[in-house]
């Protein structure tokens, strides 16, 4: 993988995120948290912040970060061309978005949606 398209749905901004920009130690932290993120109670990230997610094999994942049970940001990610993640991120939004629900970016992508608690 050369890069991931990183889209902010609220603003429409897009950037390419390259593997070289990520601290390699983060991989081990996220790998450890992965199991708990997809459990019913989620996992604590740092004091007062938790992450809960849903993963669908062959489709992608959607993860929301909360601060004291108030949603801060939701991230949908996929590497699958025919994934429903893009559409789901638009249909479940409570805030206006600047991106087109019928025009997903090329994969792989991560779509960030700022939530009311941000």
């Amino acid at each position: 993988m050369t890069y991931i398209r990183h889209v902010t749905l609220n603003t429409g901004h897009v950037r390419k995120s390259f593997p070289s920009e990520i601290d390699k130690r983060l991989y081990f932290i996220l790998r450890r948290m992965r199991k708990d993120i997809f459990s019913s109670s989620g996992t604590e990230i740092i004091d007062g912040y938790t992450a809960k997610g849903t993963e669908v094999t062959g489709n992608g994942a959607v993860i929301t970060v909360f601060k004291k049970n108030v949603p801060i940001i939701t991230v949908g990610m996929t590497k699958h061309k025919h994934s429903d993640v893009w559409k789901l991120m638009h249909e479940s939004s409570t805030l206006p978005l600047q991106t087109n629900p019928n025009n997903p970016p090329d994969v792989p992508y991560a779509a960030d949606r700022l939530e009311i608690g941000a």
Side-chain angles (χ1 to χ4, degrees), residues 28-108:
F28 297 102
I29 294 168
L30 292 175
R31 185 176 175 149
R32 180 176 38 93
M33 295 172 67
R34 184 175 187 270
K35 177 183 170 191
D36 292 337
I37 285 173
F38 298 113
S39 71
S40 61
S41 58
T43 188
E44 184 175 26
I45 300 172
I46 57 173
D47 295 337
Y49 291 87
T50 57
K52 296 180 184 181
T54 301
E55 182 178 35
V56 180
T57 303
N59 201 2
V62 176
I63 299 169
T64 301
V65 175
F66 298 85
K67 181 177 182 180
K68 299 181 181 177
N69 295 320
V70 176
I72 304 295
I73 189 169
T74 298
V75 180
M77 60 200 88
T78 190
K79 62 181 180 178
H80 306 286
K81 185 176 181 178
H82 299 291
S83 171
D84 295 327
V85 168
W86 186 258
K87 187 175 181 180
L88 175 67
M89 291 289 289
H90 286 81
E91 289 175 348
S92 62
S93 182
T94 59
L95 297 173
L97 303 177
Q98 298 299 312
T99 51
N100 183 339
N102 299 313
N103 190 22
D106 291 336
V107 293

Side-chain angles (χ1 to χ4, degrees), residues 1-6 15-19 106-109:
M1 168 179 28
T2 307
Y3 60 85
I4 294 175
R5 282 173 183 76
H6 206 123
R15 77 175 304 271
K16 294 177 181 176
S17 296
F18 295 89
D106 291 336
V107 293
Y109 67 79

